[in-house]
Amino acid sequence: MTSQSADLELFDDVLVHQDRRPAAFLPGPTNTAAAHVAAAHAEMLLTSLALSDNARSEDGDEHAEPSSALQRVEAKLDLVLGLLGTMLRDRGDLPPPTVLRWSTRGARIDVLGDALAIRPGARGTLRVQPADWLPDCIELPAHVIAAEGTRVWIAFEPMAPTLADALERHLFRLHRKQVAESRRLR
């Protein structure tokens, strides 16, 4: 498959988000039981991220100042999560940051390291850190549909509708934040 047809298959007529974040394709066989556990973890993590984002935006009137006690608790929690993230990054549990373009159908990543080892047809798992502030990853079973240089196009294996919905909502929130940030910088 060509890179253009892979782009159409993965990104045509769906919400797409692109940024730089820890992500890697891990080639290898996927154990069915482990894939179910990973899917449940991914759904839980994406749903929890949505609830966390919604809680912060729905805490009240956007013009009202949050209480100083709430601000202190949130600041302490941010510090603890930052420390935990640093510790996990130092352990090497997170994949290296790379350019990631993804949708609910699949992803395109710039592979770091031995890109020649990842060929079309290879099966494995896409491992992604979905939130910058949370040092945890989701793992989605996938297979390579195209490769060109160090760039690889990966199609997700069929996923449960609830996981697909959680992923779509997550991508929408990331996209919305990216648009808001670009407007703020203008």
Side-chain angles (χ1 to χ4, degrees), residues 42-161:
E43 184 179 340
M44 180 274 309
L45 185 58
L46 294 173
T47 301
S48 296
L49 288 171
L51 290 171
S52 174
D53 283 350
N54 289 343
R56 284 187 180 216
S57 66
E58 293 175 359
D59 278 341
D61 183 8
E62 65 183 53
H63 300 293
E65 282 294 316
S67 72
S68 59
L70 178 60
Q71 286 178 328
R72 284 192 301 274
V73 169
E74 285 184 351
K76 287 178 183 178
L77 184 58
D78 288 343
L79 288 171
V80 168
L81 287 173
L83 178 63
L84 181 60
T86 301
M87 291 169 53
L88 287 176
R89 275 189 290 279
D90 291 346
R91 280 188 15 202
D93 288 351
L94 296 176
T98 187
V99 175
L100 172 69
R101 178 180 170 104
W102 55 330
S103 74
T104 55
R105 295 181 191 158
R108 183 187 75 207
I109 64 170
D110 292 335
V111 177
L112 304 173
D114 189 11
L116 297 177
I118 302 175
R119 295 272 184 221
R123 296 200 173 282
T125 302
L126 180 67
R127 184 174 165 85
V128 178
Q129 181 184 2
D132 296 332
W133 58 270
L134 184 66
D136 197 2
C137 291
I138 59 172
E139 294 182 354
L140 303 168
H143 62 278
V144 177
I145 60 172
E148 185 177 281
T150 60
R151 191 163 278 175
V152 178
W153 287 259
I154 303 160
F156 296 139
E157 300 297 341
M159 59 180 80

Side-chain angles (χ1 to χ4, degrees), residues 30-43 139 141 158 160 163:
T30 54
N31 175 317
T32 305
H36 286 298
V37 169
H41 175 75
E43 184 179 340
E139 294 182 354
L163 175 55

Side-chain angles (χ1 to χ4, degrees), residues 6 11 25 38 40 51 64-65 122 138 171 173:
F11 308 125
F25 179 73
L51 290 171
E65 282 294 316
I138 59 172
L171 292 171
R173 281 191 315 280

